[in-house]
Each structure stands twice: as structure tokens, then as C-alpha cells.
Amino acid sequence: MNLVLDIAWTHVRTRARQTLVAIAGVATGVGFSIMMAALMEGSQDDFIKTLVNALPHISISDERSRPTLQPGEEAFSAAEIHGLTPAVRRRGIKNPMATMAALEAWVPGAVTPSVQSKGLLRYAGRDVAVSITGIDPRTEGKVSALIAQMRQGSLPALYRATNAIILGDRLADKLSAKVGANLTIAGSGTIRINGTVVGTFHSGMRQIDENSAYVLMKTAQILENQTGLVNEIRVRLADAMAARDVAQQIAAETGYKSVSWQEAQEDLLSTIQVRNILMYTIVGAILLVAAFGTYNIISTITHEKARDIAIMKSLGFNERTVRRIFVIEALLIGFVGAAFGWALGYLLCRGLGTVEIRTPFSDFNYLPLAYTIRHYLLATLVALVSSMVAGYFPARRAAGVHPVEIIRGAT
Amino acid sequence: MSEILIEARKVTRILPGIVPVTLVQDVDLKIVPREFVAITGVSGSGKSSLLYLLGLLDFPTEGDVLIRGQSTSRMPEDERARVRLAELGFVFQFHFLLPEFSLTENVGLPMRALGALSAGEIRDRAEALLDSLGLADHRSKRPDQISGGQRQRVAVARALANDPPVILADEPTGSLDSKSTEQVFQLLRSLVDERGKTIVAVTHDLELASRMDRQVRIADGRIVAIEKATRAHA
């Protein structure tokens, strides 16, 4: 075996206790960094996932980005006209079926139409104002998580009763309406119809569960007193992160307002950025502490070997060789420590993953953890670099000392 | 005129500091082959410092040390290390063996650092050296498993590893009892007489010094006397 490797190996092998302590130190640092990173990123991912799942990736609505041109403005483009009352146009996306067909042709994902309406539900003397969404049960499932959120009944049940309606579970509790109950739905105009509850859903978001109801598109159109109305097209993309670009493209092609989930949740996303900074600060701090721990242990070992360094130098070993011995020892400890750290980190993650949590605000029952090789590599890199530095600098100092100073000190 | 192995020319060594300490001053000394030289003096006289300078372990503040006629004052550290490895062997008052390695491995270290021999040859030679110094039974033991006298003999074996012409010894018997002292002295004596080595040994034991070939007496960093020993040398 190579002389340098042989000496390094003999040192770490024969001082088993010290080596084990050093390895344990490195492993603890690496393990806990991995765990913290997994925890932070896991909760982050989970947060975004819940957010993205609860919303359409892109929502195309009938709002034009600017009021339509008035006939006077069209005729006299140079003239500035004040005091016009814009003509009232029929609401809704024009020719929705053709628009949807065009979108389906190129958008990488699923598309479903919906009708937004506001209304008042009345049952057993209780009134609750709700937002009512008219949906197409055949395509809704491809875009939203509604099917998975159904607690009672199912989406096709909407076809099985006159003016069938699906309520959020908290809304149903508020009204004390059970499946099969007949209630009154008052639309925004003077329209008033009787409906039948055919199911309940639970999204996990309190606001939605308390204030939303689903009906067929046709029913919502009746409530809005406008047949053929579609005022929102929702899109679910295969890649949620592409929503911003696709939304812009849709706006450019259709002229309708097209909002990606990122834009709709800008405030939440800025909170996430704060969290991101927080996360990287914490993980960075842990890595730094781990690096110092590694540095401390390995530099102590190297300092203790100052006498051996003097002996080797007096025999005629050159400085480079001596330095290399200690850097290799440090790297050996770093590597083995990092390997144990991987195991420790993984086990800690698995352990944390079994911790059950209950909160009234959300549905996840277990701590969300992210398992990614990136964390392991990052922690390993930091451990190796700090071990190497920890071996190099004390060894360089010890190797730079004249052996005479140490030999004199010993005699 | 015989070849000069080590030559000190006007060597001065001053330890810098608030109050600079002069360890060695204006020393001229020539060491020729096959001689056993004692450097004596009271403690603090500078005898060890002179030995370190001769052995290239320390840098002279002024003057020059020549090894086989080659100046070393401008030599880079790596080359000085190379000269120590190939031309000089060291024995200190304390054995300074590496505690984690067996005796054979300790003796093999300088050979491996020099890199002239194969692993097998190195082991054979290390074992042969240990055997010739009466340590055949202890080859695979570690330094803390043998006596002080034995350790010092291992240190001598290690000094002989690369077969250097010169061995420098700093109080080689300083930490030994009288019996071990005699054994180690006889060993050194035989290296000069039988193997043709040159030995420069620092000692405060005047009785031992008188049994060497030449005695260089040091006081306050200067040579005060050089005496030929009374013992006739063949």
C-alpha cells in the first residue's frame, strides 16, 4: 500500500475510540442536517401541493382586460369622449365550446367550463350566502380534486335529481341539511328555485367547505338568468409550474383574462419566499454547526499528532507528505461519517414520518418530509470540505513547525 | 587526505526573541569517515543545538553546514529532508518511534519514504536489521511492549535503515540505566568499528565520551577544546 495511505489508515485504525467519536460527530451533523432539510422542504412541498390542488392551475374568465370600445370611439379615433356610459354587454365567454375546443387542441392538460354564481341557500329557516359553481361532471374530475373530496354521493348524482346540488360539508352542517333534503336556492336576480342535496364534499380548506356549493352548469345558468353562459374555463396542466407561461399564451390567443395559480396566490407565494429564506438559513446554520463540530474533532486529532509529525519530519519526510497523511485521515473520517450520517438522516426522517399530528385547519395527519438525494449530497459535500479543511490547516501548521522545537520540548 | 562528511563553517545560531539567545557561536568543525565523535558540555552549553545544526534539523543564523562538500544554507526544505533521509540517521534521547506501528514497520518507514526498495525488500531489510541488533523475537511488537533499552536499539535500527554514512545521536543513553547504556554504547561502537559508520553523539557522560575517538567540548555555544581520546583506535 502507498506509504501515505498506510500511515493514515494505521492512525485511524489504531485510535479506534477517537476515530469513532469523530465519525459519530460527523454523522450526527450530516444526519441532522438531512433531517432538517427534509422537514423544511417537505412541509413546503406539501403546502404548495395543497394550494395547487385546491385551485385550477389557470382560470380563464370573461373579464376583458379593458372595457370594450364604444361605437363613438370606433368612429372617431382621434376624438376624446367623456361621460359615456358603456353599453351593457351580455356576460360570459363568447362561443365557449369553440374556445374550449381551440384550447384543448394545444394546451398540455385538461379543460373544463364552469358558471360562477352567487346565491342564497335557505333550509329550515336558515339562510346562508354561498358561491355556487355550475360544473360539467364529465370533465370536472380531470381538472379539480372534487371527486376525491366527495364525502357523500358522487358527481354524476347531479344528473339524478332536479336542480341537484352538492354542498361543502361545513355548509351542510350549518344548514343542518342532509343528503336528500330539499332546499331553496335564490339567485342573484329574482330567480328562486327548489333544489335537492345529492352529496357533500370536504376540501380541507375551511373557507371553501363553509361557503361553496356545486350544481350543473344548466342550473347555474338558470340562476344567472342567462342561457348558454360560461364565465370561467379552468385548466389543469400536466406541469403546474408551467402555468404562468401557458396563462400568458392563452390570454394572448383568446383575449380573455387568464390567471395562473401563481398570480392568484401571489401573497401566499411571497410568504413562501420568506419561508424559503428561513429554511435555507436554518439548514445552512445546521450545516455550519456540523462543519464546526467536524473541524473541532479532526483538528484535535491532528494537534495530538504534532509529535509524530516532528518525528517524521526529522527522519526526512517532507512537509507535503506529512500534510497529505492528515488530510487523508480527515477525509477517511469525513467519508465514513457522512455514510453513517446518510443512514442516520434517513432513519430520522422515517421516524419523524410516523409522528401523527392533528390540527383543526388541515387534513394531513403525518409530518410531510421530502426525500431528495440533493440534501444528502449537500450535507456530504459540506462534511467533506470541513473535514478536509480541519485536517489541512492544523497539519500544515504542525508540518511547518521545525521539528527541533518539538524535540526540544520533549527532552 | 580523507573525505570530509560534515563540515560546519562559522556556524552561529541565535534564537530570536525579545532577548535573543545565542545557542551556538562561530563553530568550525569537520567530521571525517569512520570516526566516533563525542560532543560534551554542561546542560545548556549548546551541544544539542550544534547537533541539530549538523543534522540539518535546524537552520544556522549565520555560517554554513556542508554535507559531503555540498552547501546546505540555500537548500530548499524538501531537499534538506531528502539529505536527512539518505545521508543521515538520527537517534534521540527518547526513542521517538511511532506508537501505532510495529517495530518492523517503524524501521521500514525511512526506507518507504525514500522509495528505493520494494515492499518485500523493505520488510526483509527491516527484519534483518532488527535481528542483527538482537531484537528478532520482538519484530511484530509495538514500541510500548518492549523495554527502554530495546526501544533505543530499535531507534538505532531505524537510523540505519537507509544505510546512511553518518548517524547523529542526541544523548542516546540519556534515559537508560547503566546496563542498557553499556549495551547501546557497545552497539554504536561496533557500528563504527565493524560497519564503518561515522557517529556524532551528544553526551554529558564524560566516561562514555572518553571511550570515543574524539571529544569536542562545548561551553556557551563555542568549542573550547578538541581532544583525541586516550583509547587507541585500530
Side-chain angles (χ1 to χ4, degrees):
Chain A
M1 210 196 309
N2 176 298
L3 174 63
V4 169
L5 280 180
D6 189 18
I7 294 178
W9 175 238
T10 308
H11 273 169
V12 296
R13 188 171 44 86
T14 51
R15 323 186 97 210
R17 197 188 57 84
Q18 245 180 335
T19 304
L20 283 181
V21 170
I23 285 173
V26 178
T28 315
V30 169
F32 277 89
S33 317
I34 288 172
M35 182 200 80
M36 276 310 291
L39 199 57
M40 296 295 290
E41 196 165 317
S43 72
Q44 181 109 309
D45 288 353
D46 192 83
F47 187 61
I48 292 185
K49 218 167 80 190
T50 315
L51 193 69
V52 171
N53 277 346
L55 296 163
H57 294 167
I58 298 170
S59 124
I60 302 153
S61 59
D62 54 0
E63 292 168 49
R64 293 279 182 173
S65 25
R66 41 174 303 193
T68 45
L69 281 179
Q70 296 303 309
E73 287 175 296
E74 277 173 26
F76 308 103
S77 60
E80 203 170 315
I81 300 165
H82 291 280
L84 277 179
T85 304
V88 176
R89 299 264 171 126
R90 263 172 67 93
R91 291 179 53 206
I93 292 167
K94 277 183 196 164
N95 207 352
M97 291 307 144
T99 308
M100 276 181 51
L103 288 178
E104 271 166 353
W106 68 270
V107 171
V111 178
T112 190
S114 63
V115 181
Q116 299 295 338
S117 176
K118 295 266 185 279
L120 198 67
L121 297 186
R122 173 169 292 171
Y123 180 72
R126 276 172 235 190
D127 287 351
V128 180
V130 294
S131 62
I132 299 168
T133 308
I135 56 169
D136 179 349
R138 285 163 303 181
T139 52
E140 179 68 22
K142 291 179 197 149
V143 172
S144 75
L146 192 57
I147 290 179
Q149 292 169 351
M150 293 303 294
R151 284 291 152 94
Q152 288 170 293
S154 64
L155 287 190
L158 284 175
Y159 291 118
R160 280 183 219 128
T162 320
N163 300 333
I165 187 167
I166 293 171
L167 305 177
D169 60 347
R170 284 176 187 276
L171 175 61
D173 284 349
K174 237 194 228 180
L175 287 167
S176 66
K178 296 199 165 56
V179 171
N182 283 305
L183 39 65
T184 312
I185 312 168
S188 50
T190 53
I191 315 271
R192 187 179 293 259
I193 56 176
N194 288 317
T196 310
V197 178
V198 295
T200 61
F201 70 92
H202 176 83
S203 71
M205 293 222 260
R206 198 182 186 112
Q207 228 180 342
I208 291 175
D209 294 337
E210 263 177 4
N211 290 307
S212 320
Y214 291 99
V215 294
L216 287 179
M217 284 218 293
K218 179 172 57 86
T219 314
Q221 285 163 353
I222 292 168
L223 287 169
E224 286 291 303
N225 198 16
Q226 191 176 331
T227 48
L229 170 74
V230 169
N231 52 9
E232 190 186 30
I233 295 172
R234 285 169 298 149
V235 178
R236 185 182 189 83
L237 297 174
D239 173 18
M241 294 299 150
R244 215 182 271 267
D245 295 338
V246 177
Q248 271 174 12
Q249 214 171 326
I250 292 174
E253 290 203 4
T254 62
Y256 288 107
K257 188 175 170 190
S258 163
V259 178
S260 62
W261 66 270
Q262 289 106 320
E263 281 174 80
Q265 302 293 333
E266 208 111 44
D267 49 341
L268 274 177
L269 283 175
S270 71
T271 317
I272 286 179
Q273 279 201 325
V274 174
R275 266 181 65 112
N276 254 334
I277 294 171
L278 203 75
M279 169 176 112
Y280 287 122
T281 312
I282 293 175
V283 172
I286 287 177
L287 284 174
L288 196 69
V289 172
F292 269 107
T294 308
Y295 182 91
N296 202 7
I297 288 170
I298 291 177
S299 63
T300 307
I301 291 183
T302 310
H303 277 300
E304 280 177 8
K305 283 279 165 205
R307 204 184 72 125
D308 286 17
I309 292 175
I311 296 170
M312 287 189 266
K313 276 195 71 180
S314 71
L315 290 179
F317 282 63
N318 59 35
E319 277 185 45
R320 214 168 343 104
T321 309
V322 174
R323 263 199 326 258
R324 211 174 289 157
I325 290 170
F326 287 89
V327 170
I328 286 176
E329 276 177 43
L331 282 178
L332 270 175
I333 290 172
F335 260 115
V336 178
F340 278 105
W342 281 40
L344 179 68
Y346 183 73
L347 290 177
L348 280 170
C349 286
R350 293 310 292 260
L352 273 182
T354 64
V355 173
E356 207 171 341
I357 42 169
R358 289 183 188 285
T359 105
F361 307 109
S362 66
D363 278 345
F364 19 94
N365 298 323
Y366 295 100
L367 280 176
L369 291 151
Y371 293 92
T372 149
I373 189 80
R374 198 159 39 82
H375 296 156
Y376 290 75
L377 293 180
L378 182 68
T380 307
L381 186 74
V382 172
L384 286 185
V385 169
S386 59
S387 320
M388 209 175 84
V389 169
Y392 181 80
F393 285 101
R396 193 182 68 164
R397 244 187 60 191
V401 168
H402 266 284
V404 169
E405 285 172 40
I406 290 165
I407 293 166
R408 266 208 196 101
T411 45
Chain B
M1 180 76 196
S2 59
E3 184 198 2
I4 297 165
L5 285 175
I6 305 181
E7 182 179 358
R9 282 189 189 162
K10 293 263 173 259
V11 166
T12 299
R13 172 73 169 118
I14 300 169
L15 271 189
I18 302 164
V19 184
V21 181
T22 305
L23 298 174
V24 173
Q25 191 153 27
D26 280 340
V27 167
D28 284 300
L29 186 63
K30 288 174 184 169
I31 310 290
V32 296
R34 300 175 70 93
E35 69 168 338
F36 195 174
V37 181
I39 300 178
T40 59
V42 295
S43 68
S45 59
K47 53 190 191 305
S48 289
S49 300
L50 176 60
L51 189 80
Y52 299 148
L53 288 164
L54 296 177
L56 308 187
L57 288 175
D58 202 0
F59 274 102
T61 313
E62 277 169 48
D64 195 359
V65 175
L66 291 84
I67 307 286
R68 290 185 191 261
Q70 201 184 2
S71 165
T72 60
S73 63
R74 297 244 174 79
M75 229 179 228
E77 183 52 41
D78 275 7
E79 209 172 314
R80 291 164 66 92
R82 187 88 187 162
V83 171
R84 284 204 295 275
L85 198 57
E87 307 285 350
L88 308 170
F90 290 91
V91 179
F92 298 99
Q93 177 177 359
F94 298 101
H95 57 89
F96 283 154
L97 300 170
L98 297 186
E100 294 89 355
F101 293 86
S102 73
L103 303 189
T104 310
E105 285 168 330
N106 262 294
V107 174
L109 278 179
M111 293 186 253
R112 296 180 64 178
L114 191 65
L117 301 175
S118 74
E121 289 169 325
I122 288 172
R123 218 196 41 242
D124 291 347
R125 178 166 165 74
E127 284 176 355
L129 276 169
L130 285 171
D131 294 356
S132 72
L133 302 187
L135 295 159
D137 299 340
H138 308 292
R139 284 171 180 176
S140 55
K141 285 186 182 169
R142 295 200 304 173
D144 54 6
Q145 293 168 320
I146 57 174
S147 74
Q150 286 169 327
R151 273 181 226 153
Q152 212 56 342
R153 275 187 278 159
V154 178
V156 172
R158 185 180 61 182
L160 290 169
N162 286 327
D163 203 17
V166 182
I167 288 171
L168 302 173
D170 184 10
E171 301 273 13
T173 60
S175 55
L176 300 179
D177 58 33
S178 57
K179 186 165 164 259
S180 300
T181 296
E182 188 54 34
Q183 280 180 346
V184 170
F185 177 80
Q186 286 304 335
L187 170 59
L188 295 177
R189 182 77 254 181
S190 70
L191 290 180
V192 177
D193 296 346
E194 287 154 32
R195 299 205 199 180
K197 299 290 177 197
T198 298
I199 296 179
V200 181
V202 164
T203 180
H204 60 266
D205 185 335
L206 293 177
E207 192 271 328
L208 274 186
S210 69
R211 289 157 65 192
M212 299 183 198
D213 302 339
R214 198 151 65 113
Q215 198 186 132
V216 178
R217 254 191 282 164
I218 305 276
D220 294 329
R222 292 168 187 275
I223 295 178
V224 291
I226 298 181
E227 296 166 6
K228 284 273 176 196
T230 47
R231 176 189 177 277
H233 175 46

